[in-house]
Amino acid sequence: MAREHLLKIGVSGVRGVVGDFLTPGLALSFAQAFGTYVGRGRVVVGRDTRTSGPMLQHAVASGLLAAGCEVINVGVMPTPTIQLYIAHTGAKGGICLTASHNPPEYNALKLFNKDGFFFNQYERTELIDLYHQSSFDEAMNHEIREVRKQGATAQKIHAQRVLSFVDVDLIRSKKFRVALDSVNGAGSVMSPEFLTAQLGCELHAIAIDPTKVFPRIAEPRPDTLGDLSELVRSTGAAIGFAQDPDGDRLAVVDERGEVLDNDDVLGLVVKHVLPRFPGDVVVNLTTSSVMEDLAAANGRKVFRTAVGEANVVDMMLAVKSAIGGEGSNGGVIFPGVHYCRDSYTGMAFLLELMAQTGKSVTELVAQLPRYYRKLGRVTFEHGRLGTLMQALEEQFPGVVADRTDGLKLIWPDAWIHVRASNTEPLLRLAAEAKSAQRMEDLYAQVTQLLT
Amino acid sequence: MSTGKILRISQVGLRGVVGRGLSASHVMDFASAFGTFLEPGRPVVVGRDPRASGCMIREGVVGALMACGHDVVDLGVVSSPVIQHAIVRMDGAGGISISASHNAAEWNALRFFGPRGVYLSSAESSELLDIYHLKKFRYQNWDQLGSLREDASALDAYLDDLARVYELDKLRRFKVVVDCCNGTSSLILRRMNERFGFQLILINEKLGSATFAHEPNTSSATVALQLAPLVKPLGADAGFLFDADSDRIAFATEEGVPVSEEVVLPLLADYLLPKAAGKLVITNLSSTMLLEEIAARHSGKVIRVPVGRQAAIDALSGYRPEQIALAGEGTGAVMMPQFRFVYDGIASMLAILSMMEERRQTLSRILASYPPYSILKGELPISSSRIPALMMDLRNRYASGTVDSTDGLRVSWPDHWFHVRVSQTEPIIRVIVEQRGDAPVELFESLMDQVRSLR
């Protein structure tokens, strides 16, 4: 029986269940390590709407002040907005208190460098070393700075940046009827204004009270968006948007109330963006082959990386790509706005696509290359991972294998990807094929092997 | 062994030089221990003095208390007595004052108060210390965490109560110069000028975040630095000096003469004992003998307990409040039953002004009726293994006096006494000798020599 990961201190920062596991002391020490690493200067701190946010924010502020940093408290704010604000204000870095799509009892420290990018693997490793060495910078009284409340302009900066890449007048002229579910998260404070005042939509929103707990499972998935689907159907909305608690992920509901496959959401945006912006496409290994088809149609390439926003962003920076993302995670990363997963960029591009084509979401999705996908997970025992992967490879001799992140086996008409989760003791499975039968066969074969 | 770091963790709390011994993690753990120690359900009141490190410490304290499920009321920059007052007014579970009081600006400390705004007893403090050392804190789950509320009304509520006890409309006629030492007293005194028309002239009134104009310790030497020379030229009736968190005072007369900090307690005893005949004055073994003489004038009785705040707090709990006229130390820290029985410099100042008002006498005039006492203080390093032999030796040598060995050795005669004790915080021995009249130089030197010869 695998251990439950109630606390994880690792390459993705600190994440855990608040209380006995993720304690204020841990958050404080980690923040002091962070402050020691980025150096004395301004550090932006914000959070999503989790109940543990304020408590942890105080602990984090204490650690940063102790290291001689000045704390810019932006309060409840979407993660991408905070990332933009870090870069915009010339801060040394930022810490966002959010466990993203995880359940409400979890929280985490997301760490950003001075550019507002996730710490890359080198930065992360160095920070973890500093944390373990516990030799932190300790400011004396005369060197200690203050906590300043700022960020009133952050949302405006973010919205303006997004809107500068779309035809706002065109979108406004359509007066789209839009449904929204912000899960009472950080998006609640920004999305209604963005969709109505900025984009001229007729908004029907649920779960936009940042003072309330999450009314649904935080991860926006087909099985968690029943209320939004119902809202779309009852209001006759042209499209429904669902955010996760920190507003970086986006899920989409079509005009019939059906939740779109996240890979198709990314596909629509990539298809819309590529003809207008130069550069290639960067996605993770688990993202659909739709990307290769779309790129080829525009004479572009696809680069694939290990799963994780930071990995995708690193590659995007290296190849100066036009767009990127992680299909299954509902993330669109558009460098023009910022190198971050951003639900607002996704919303704006999708509305623009609808406005330009005059087509419904269903019609737009139908135009995408058709693949059959299945995602799943199996638990595994520690120590068995290598054996499992080896057995898998031996089962399919002569197939193209990519070992960048777990194992991806690639046939001309299909692929499977098996990787261990960074955050939980389980294997994530993804299979895709051009025919449903082929995909199901492959998925069943692999599942049987792994269990 | 010296690491160059200064941190003291004891029953009176946590104290040290920030960044050079006192770290954010110490604060987090100590505040978490306090959050675990306190009963849940009622708010915890927090405030700080103006030191820059107070912001850092406040964040950790608030985070820790919220994590333990307590609702926190933050009063911002306020004095310790205002925090203690607010705990009672809000029916709080307790409170934390973030202040190193009379220490230099680079220091800071946490002081803990219980439900009635009083310092923790020894039993409570040692339980708190045990929780701190065990590091098993009662952190709550995500849906049971505390909230934070900021409250700026505490100062006025405190002044409302002061106005009920002291006749402020009569006291405001006094012209008084105050050295605020860049501490919290300036906020209170400025508000007294605004609200009640006092004529308090404040110096060093800017809140000091990085540095103070001088160390905020309440001694006659500090009074002599900047305050005393101003009193006479300004034609003031008195000069008062406060430490950073306003719980103790020192003063100068209208002539600009700095008065020994030892005299604050006897002066207030002289004021209060006639209104409280036969009651007790509680002080420690090291404070001036003038107190006995004043007490005798008003048939009061002096109870002496070991040095240190904890001993005083424990001693107080041994008597009914109505038995006590006042309590205090030779440092200028005095508590009076009229105003909630906590060390309070503002209340002490108002009581002294009330005394001047009621007697229609100047400070010089009042003090002229007190016989002169001379006190000499010294300290020497000592290795702890030599202490028992030293104490026995001194005891045998000075057997003619009245011996008290509850805290080191105190031997008293009708017109002089000495106290030799080991510091609780440093490996040093303190020697204090006082005599009615001239300085007891001979006895002092002789005691110092004996300590030197045995260390």
Side-chain angles (χ1 to χ4, degrees), chain B residues 394-425:
Chain B
L394 292 176
R395 193 174 182 149
N396 293 334
R397 193 178 300 238
Y398 298 100
S400 66
T402 308
V403 171
D404 185 326
S405 56
T406 47
D407 178 17
L409 182 71
R410 187 182 194 270
V411 183
S412 56
W413 295 267
D415 67 340
H416 69 286
W417 58 272
F418 74 80
H419 189 194
V420 177
R421 60 180 286 272
V422 182
S423 164
Q424 290 169 355
T425 51

mmCIF file of all heavy atoms in Angstrom, chain B residues 394-425:
data_model
loop_
_atom_site.group_PDB
_atom_site.id
_atom_site.type_symbol
_atom_site.label_atom_id
_atom_site.label_comp_id
_atom_site.label_asym_id
_atom_site.label_seq_id
_atom_site.Cartn_x
_atom_site.Cartn_y
_atom_site.Cartn_z
ATOM 1 N N LEU B 394 30.158 34.624 52.567
ATOM 2 C CA LEU B 394 29.601 35.951 52.846
ATOM 3 C C LEU B 394 28.633 35.898 54.018
ATOM 4 O O LEU B 394 28.583 36.774 54.870
ATOM 5 C CB LEU B 394 28.886 36.503 51.608
ATOM 6 C CG LEU B 394 29.769 36.852 50.404
ATOM 7 C CD1 LEU B 394 28.924 37.300 49.224
ATOM 8 C CD2 LEU B 394 30.761 37.961 50.779
ATOM 9 N N ARG B 395 27.882 34.833 54.058
ATOM 10 C CA ARG B 395 26.880 34.665 55.103
ATOM 11 C C ARG B 395 27.545 34.628 56.477
ATOM 12 O O ARG B 395 27.043 35.229 57.444
ATOM 13 C CB ARG B 395 26.134 33.362 54.830
ATOM 14 C CG ARG B 395 24.900 33.231 55.651
ATOM 15 C CD ARG B 395 24.127 31.993 55.223
ATOM 16 N NE ARG B 395 22.928 31.953 56.034
ATOM 17 C CZ ARG B 395 21.781 31.459 55.628
ATOM 18 N NH1 ARG B 395 21.679 30.945 54.442
ATOM 19 N NH2 ARG B 395 20.747 31.467 56.428
ATOM 20 N N ASN B 396 28.656 33.891 56.557
ATOM 21 C CA ASN B 396 29.373 33.799 57.835
ATOM 22 C C ASN B 396 30.000 35.137 58.215
ATOM 23 O O ASN B 396 29.962 35.560 59.362
ATOM 24 C CB ASN B 396 30.473 32.732 57.744
ATOM 25 C CG ASN B 396 29.851 31.353 57.598
ATOM 26 O OD1 ASN B 396 28.713 31.138 58.031
ATOM 27 N ND2 ASN B 396 30.574 30.438 56.970
ATOM 28 N N ARG B 397 30.529 35.788 57.203
ATOM 29 C CA ARG B 397 31.255 37.015 57.462
ATOM 30 C C ARG B 397 30.331 38.141 57.937
ATOM 31 O O ARG B 397 30.724 38.967 58.744
ATOM 32 C CB ARG B 397 31.975 37.441 56.178
ATOM 33 C CG ARG B 397 32.996 38.527 56.398
ATOM 34 C CD ARG B 397 33.684 38.834 55.084
ATOM 35 N NE ARG B 397 34.364 37.661 54.530
ATOM 36 C CZ ARG B 397 35.671 37.628 54.250
ATOM 37 N NH1 ARG B 397 36.417 38.677 54.468
ATOM 38 N NH2 ARG B 397 36.199 36.552 53.733
ATOM 39 N N TYR B 398 29.071 38.172 57.394
ATOM 40 C CA TYR B 398 28.164 39.278 57.730
ATOM 41 C C TYR B 398 26.993 38.784 58.573
ATOM 42 O O TYR B 398 25.843 39.159 58.363
ATOM 43 C CB TYR B 398 27.673 39.964 56.464
ATOM 44 C CG TYR B 398 28.814 40.589 55.672
ATOM 45 C CD1 TYR B 398 29.347 39.959 54.560
ATOM 46 C CD2 TYR B 398 29.374 41.794 56.099
ATOM 47 C CE1 TYR B 398 30.408 40.517 53.858
ATOM 48 C CE2 TYR B 398 30.434 42.356 55.399
ATOM 49 C CZ TYR B 398 30.953 41.711 54.279
ATOM 50 O OH TYR B 398 31.996 42.265 53.603
ATOM 51 N N ALA B 399 27.309 37.946 59.550
ATOM 52 C CA ALA B 399 26.263 37.323 60.357
ATOM 53 C C ALA B 399 25.536 38.314 61.270
ATOM 54 O O ALA B 399 24.483 38.002 61.828
ATOM 55 C CB ALA B 399 26.862 36.188 61.191
ATOM 56 N N SER B 400 26.083 39.522 61.399
ATOM 57 C CA SER B 400 25.455 40.491 62.304
ATOM 58 C C SER B 400 24.146 41.042 61.759
ATOM 59 O O SER B 400 23.319 41.557 62.507
ATOM 60 C CB SER B 400 26.418 41.666 62.545
ATOM 61 O OG SER B 400 26.615 42.372 61.333
ATOM 62 N N GLY B 401 23.935 40.965 60.444
ATOM 63 C CA GLY B 401 22.731 41.543 59.843
ATOM 64 C C GLY B 401 21.601 40.528 59.754
ATOM 65 O O GLY B 401 21.756 39.366 60.158
ATOM 66 N N THR B 402 20.468 40.996 59.213
ATOM 67 C CA THR B 402 19.335 40.109 58.974
ATOM 68 C C THR B 402 19.520 39.463 57.601
ATOM 69 O O THR B 402 19.659 40.159 56.599
ATOM 70 C CB THR B 402 18.017 40.904 59.007
ATOM 71 O OG1 THR B 402 17.984 41.658 60.221
ATOM 72 C CG2 THR B 402 16.816 39.986 58.926
ATOM 73 N N VAL B 403 19.520 38.146 57.600
ATOM 74 C CA VAL B 403 19.858 37.426 56.377
ATOM 75 C C VAL B 403 18.604 36.951 55.643
ATOM 76 O O VAL B 403 17.686 36.412 56.259
ATOM 77 C CB VAL B 403 20.764 36.217 56.726
ATOM 78 C CG1 VAL B 403 20.948 35.318 55.508
ATOM 79 C CG2 VAL B 403 22.099 36.699 57.253
ATOM 80 N N ASP B 404 18.589 37.180 54.345
ATOM 81 C CA ASP B 404 17.526 36.632 53.486
ATOM 82 C C ASP B 404 18.218 35.908 52.331
ATOM 83 O O ASP B 404 18.982 36.514 51.589
ATOM 84 C CB ASP B 404 16.658 37.782 52.944
ATOM 85 C CG ASP B 404 15.465 37.271 52.146
ATOM 86 O OD1 ASP B 404 15.600 36.234 51.470
ATOM 87 O OD2 ASP B 404 14.405 37.918 52.190
ATOM 88 N N SER B 405 17.963 34.599 52.221
ATOM 89 C CA SER B 405 18.674 33.848 51.179
ATOM 90 C C SER B 405 17.727 33.301 50.113
ATOM 91 O O SER B 405 18.037 32.318 49.451
ATOM 92 C CB SER B 405 19.475 32.715 51.812
ATOM 93 O OG SER B 405 18.601 31.909 52.568
ATOM 94 N N THR B 406 16.587 33.962 49.915
ATOM 95 C CA THR B 406 15.664 33.448 48.898
ATOM 96 C C THR B 406 16.171 33.675 47.477
ATOM 97 O O THR B 406 15.771 32.992 46.547
ATOM 98 C CB THR B 406 14.261 34.098 49.023
ATOM 99 O OG1 THR B 406 14.435 35.518 49.159
ATOM 100 C CG2 THR B 406 13.510 33.567 50.215
ATOM 101 N N ASP B 407 17.047 34.660 47.279
ATOM 102 C CA ASP B 407 17.578 34.917 45.935
ATOM 103 C C ASP B 407 19.010 35.383 46.131
ATOM 104 O O ASP B 407 19.260 36.563 46.318
ATOM 105 C CB ASP B 407 16.715 35.986 45.237
ATOM 106 C CG ASP B 407 17.244 36.342 43.846
ATOM 107 O OD1 ASP B 407 18.058 35.570 43.289
ATOM 108 O OD2 ASP B 407 16.839 37.397 43.323
ATOM 109 N N GLY B 408 19.947 34.442 46.130
ATOM 110 C CA GLY B 408 21.325 34.791 46.470
ATOM 111 C C GLY B 408 21.380 35.108 47.957
ATOM 112 O O GLY B 408 20.817 34.372 48.777
ATOM 113 N N LEU B 409 22.029 36.200 48.284
ATOM 114 C CA LEU B 409 22.142 36.557 49.699
ATOM 115 C C LEU B 409 21.872 38.039 49.872
ATOM 116 O O LEU B 409 22.496 38.879 49.224
ATOM 117 C CB LEU B 409 23.558 36.226 50.197
ATOM 118 C CG LEU B 409 23.794 36.506 51.681
ATOM 119 C CD1 LEU B 409 23.040 35.504 52.549
ATOM 120 C CD2 LEU B 409 25.286 36.472 51.988
ATOM 121 N N ARG B 410 20.915 38.350 50.724
ATOM 122 C CA ARG B 410 20.667 39.752 51.057
ATOM 123 C C ARG B 410 20.820 39.880 52.564
ATOM 124 O O ARG B 410 20.201 39.137 53.334
ATOM 125 C CB ARG B 410 19.257 40.187 50.648
ATOM 126 C CG ARG B 410 19.003 41.690 50.829
ATOM 127 C CD ARG B 410 17.576 42.020 50.440
ATOM 128 N NE ARG B 410 17.341 43.442 50.279
ATOM 129 C CZ ARG B 410 16.941 44.240 51.262
ATOM 130 N NH1 ARG B 410 16.766 43.780 52.491
ATOM 131 N NH2 ARG B 410 16.719 45.529 51.013
ATOM 132 N N VAL B 411 21.675 40.789 52.971
ATOM 133 C CA VAL B 411 21.880 41.022 54.405
ATOM 134 C C VAL B 411 21.571 42.494 54.673
ATOM 135 O O VAL B 411 22.060 43.376 53.970
ATOM 136 C CB VAL B 411 23.327 40.691 54.825
ATOM 137 C CG1 VAL B 411 23.488 40.872 56.332
ATOM 138 C CG2 VAL B 411 23.696 39.270 54.411
ATOM 139 N N SER B 412 20.721 42.732 55.650
ATOM 140 C CA SER B 412 20.341 44.115 55.928
ATOM 141 C C SER B 412 20.580 44.495 57.390
ATOM 142 O O SER B 412 20.495 43.658 58.294
ATOM 143 C CB SER B 412 18.867 44.332 55.567
ATOM 144 O OG SER B 412 18.055 43.410 56.270
ATOM 145 N N TRP B 413 20.926 45.753 57.570
ATOM 146 C CA TRP B 413 21.075 46.371 58.878
ATOM 147 C C TRP B 413 20.141 47.575 58.902
ATOM 148 O O TRP B 413 19.576 47.946 57.854
ATOM 149 C CB TRP B 413 22.530 46.805 59.068
ATOM 150 C CG TRP B 413 23.505 45.644 59.100
ATOM 151 C CD1 TRP B 413 23.943 44.996 60.216
ATOM 152 C CD2 TRP B 413 24.169 45.033 57.983
ATOM 153 N NE1 TRP B 413 24.827 43.989 59.874
ATOM 154 C CE2 TRP B 413 24.987 43.991 58.500
ATOM 155 C CE3 TRP B 413 24.133 45.245 56.594
ATOM 156 C CZ2 TRP B 413 25.768 43.177 57.690
ATOM 157 C CZ3 TRP B 413 24.924 44.426 55.794
ATOM 158 C CH2 TRP B 413 25.730 43.402 56.336
ATOM 159 N N PRO B 414 19.972 48.244 60.047
ATOM 160 C CA PRO B 414 19.000 49.339 60.096
ATOM 161 C C PRO B 414 19.242 50.428 59.044
ATOM 162 O O PRO B 414 18.284 50.986 58.516
ATOM 163 C CB PRO B 414 19.171 49.900 61.507
ATOM 164 C CG PRO B 414 19.619 48.724 62.301
ATOM 165 C CD PRO B 414 20.499 47.916 61.378
ATOM 166 N N ASP B 415 20.469 50.748 58.684
ATOM 167 C CA ASP B 415 20.669 51.856 57.749
ATOM 168 C C ASP B 415 21.414 51.461 56.477
ATOM 169 O O ASP B 415 21.799 52.312 55.689
ATOM 170 C CB ASP B 415 21.418 53.009 58.444
ATOM 171 C CG ASP B 415 22.837 52.608 58.787
ATOM 172 O OD1 ASP B 415 23.104 51.376 58.834
ATOM 173 O OD2 ASP B 415 23.672 53.498 58.999
ATOM 174 N N HIS B 416 21.650 50.187 56.285
ATOM 175 C CA HIS B 416 22.239 49.758 55.025
ATOM 176 C C HIS B 416 21.985 48.274 54.774
ATOM 177 O O HIS B 416 21.580 47.541 55.684
ATOM 178 C CB HIS B 416 23.749 50.062 54.985
ATOM 179 C CG HIS B 416 24.561 49.222 55.929
ATOM 180 N ND1 HIS B 416 24.574 49.408 57.292
ATOM 181 C CD2 HIS B 416 25.397 48.168 55.687
ATOM 182 C CE1 HIS B 416 25.382 48.541 57.852
ATOM 183 N NE2 HIS B 416 25.894 47.774 56.915
ATOM 184 N N TRP B 417 22.215 47.860 53.530
ATOM 185 C CA TRP B 417 22.027 46.456 53.156
ATOM 186 C C TRP B 417 22.869 46.176 51.927
ATOM 187 O O TRP B 417 23.290 47.088 51.213
ATOM 188 C CB TRP B 417 20.562 46.145 52.861
ATOM 189 C CG TRP B 417 19.959 46.994 51.758
ATOM 190 C CD1 TRP B 417 19.366 48.210 51.917
ATOM 191 C CD2 TRP B 417 19.914 46.721 50.344
ATOM 192 N NE1 TRP B 417 18.948 48.720 50.719
ATOM 193 C CE2 TRP B 417 19.283 47.816 49.727
ATOM 194 C CE3 TRP B 417 20.360 45.659 49.551
ATOM 195 C CZ2 TRP B 417 19.064 47.882 48.355
ATOM 196 C CZ3 TRP B 417 20.140 45.725 48.183
ATOM 197 C CH2 TRP B 417 19.497 46.831 47.591
ATOM 198 N N PHE B 418 23.113 44.876 51.706
ATOM 199 C CA PHE B 418 23.701 44.484 50.413
ATOM 200 C C PHE B 418 22.971 43.264 49.871
ATOM 201 O O PHE B 418 22.328 42.513 50.624
ATOM 202 C CB PHE B 418 25.210 44.240 50.509
ATOM 203 C CG PHE B 418 25.599 42.949 51.196
ATOM 204 C CD1 PHE B 418 25.557 41.726 50.520
ATOM 205 C CD2 PHE B 418 26.053 42.966 52.524
ATOM 206 C CE1 PHE B 418 25.923 40.542 51.158
ATOM 207 C CE2 PHE B 418 26.416 41.780 53.159
ATOM 208 C CZ PHE B 418 26.345 40.568 52.482
ATOM 209 N N HIS B 419 23.043 43.109 48.580
ATOM 210 C CA HIS B 419 22.425 41.957 47.912
ATOM 211 C C HIS B 419 23.428 41.426 46.891
ATOM 212 O O HIS B 419 23.896 42.169 46.042
ATOM 213 C CB HIS B 419 21.123 42.393 47.214
ATOM 214 C CG HIS B 419 20.309 41.244 46.686
ATOM 215 N ND1 HIS B 419 19.271 41.410 45.797
ATOM 216 C CD2 HIS B 419 20.366 39.914 46.929
ATOM 217 C CE1 HIS B 419 18.727 40.230 45.515
ATOM 218 N NE2 HIS B 419 19.383 39.303 46.192
ATOM 219 N N VAL B 420 23.798 40.176 47.053
ATOM 220 C CA VAL B 420 24.698 39.512 46.105
ATOM 221 C C VAL B 420 23.915 38.374 45.476
ATOM 222 O O VAL B 420 23.426 37.489 46.177
ATOM 223 C CB VAL B 420 25.955 38.962 46.816
ATOM 224 C CG1 VAL B 420 26.828 38.204 45.815
ATOM 225 C CG2 VAL B 420 26.740 40.091 47.447
ATOM 226 N N ARG B 421 23.735 38.447 44.147
ATOM 227 C CA ARG B 421 22.934 37.407 43.502
ATOM 228 C C ARG B 421 23.477 37.077 42.119
ATOM 229 O O ARG B 421 24.196 37.873 41.499
ATOM 230 C CB ARG B 421 21.469 37.830 43.390
ATOM 231 C CG ARG B 421 21.240 39.094 42.572
ATOM 232 C CD ARG B 421 19.764 39.428 42.514
ATOM 233 N NE ARG B 421 19.068 38.531 41.623
ATOM 234 C CZ ARG B 421 18.931 38.753 40.310
ATOM 235 N NH1 ARG B 421 19.452 39.820 39.746
ATOM 236 N NH2 ARG B 421 18.273 37.909 39.554
ATOM 237 N N VAL B 422 23.104 35.900 41.664
ATOM 238 C CA VAL B 422 23.546 35.445 40.343
ATOM 239 C C VAL B 422 22.492 35.846 39.320
ATOM 240 O O VAL B 422 21.298 35.661 39.544
ATOM 241 C CB VAL B 422 23.723 33.916 40.348
ATOM 242 C CG1 VAL B 422 24.227 33.438 38.989
ATOM 243 C CG2 VAL B 422 24.670 33.499 41.445
ATOM 244 N N SER B 423 22.937 36.412 38.218
ATOM 245 C CA SER B 423 22.009 36.796 37.147
ATOM 246 C C SER B 423 21.333 35.563 36.571
ATOM 247 O O SER B 423 21.954 34.507 36.448
ATOM 248 C CB SER B 423 22.778 37.528 36.050
ATOM 249 O OG SER B 423 21.991 37.574 34.878
ATOM 250 N N GLN B 424 20.065 35.704 36.182
ATOM 251 C CA GLN B 424 19.347 34.575 35.574
ATOM 252 C C GLN B 424 19.699 34.440 34.106
ATOM 253 O O GLN B 424 19.424 33.414 33.493
ATOM 254 C CB GLN B 424 17.836 34.787 35.720
ATOM 255 C CG GLN B 424 17.368 34.648 37.149
ATOM 256 C CD GLN B 424 15.937 35.129 37.328
ATOM 257 O OE1 GLN B 424 15.330 35.639 36.410
ATOM 258 N NE2 GLN B 424 15.419 34.958 38.522
ATOM 259 N N THR B 425 20.268 35.483 33.546
ATOM 260 C CA THR B 425 20.456 35.481 32.104
ATOM 261 C C THR B 425 21.908 35.464 31.662
ATOM 262 O O THR B 425 22.195 35.163 30.510
ATOM 263 C CB THR B 425 19.786 36.727 31.488
ATOM 264 O OG1 THR B 425 20.235 37.877 32.193
ATOM 265 C CG2 THR B 425 18.284 36.639 31.590
#
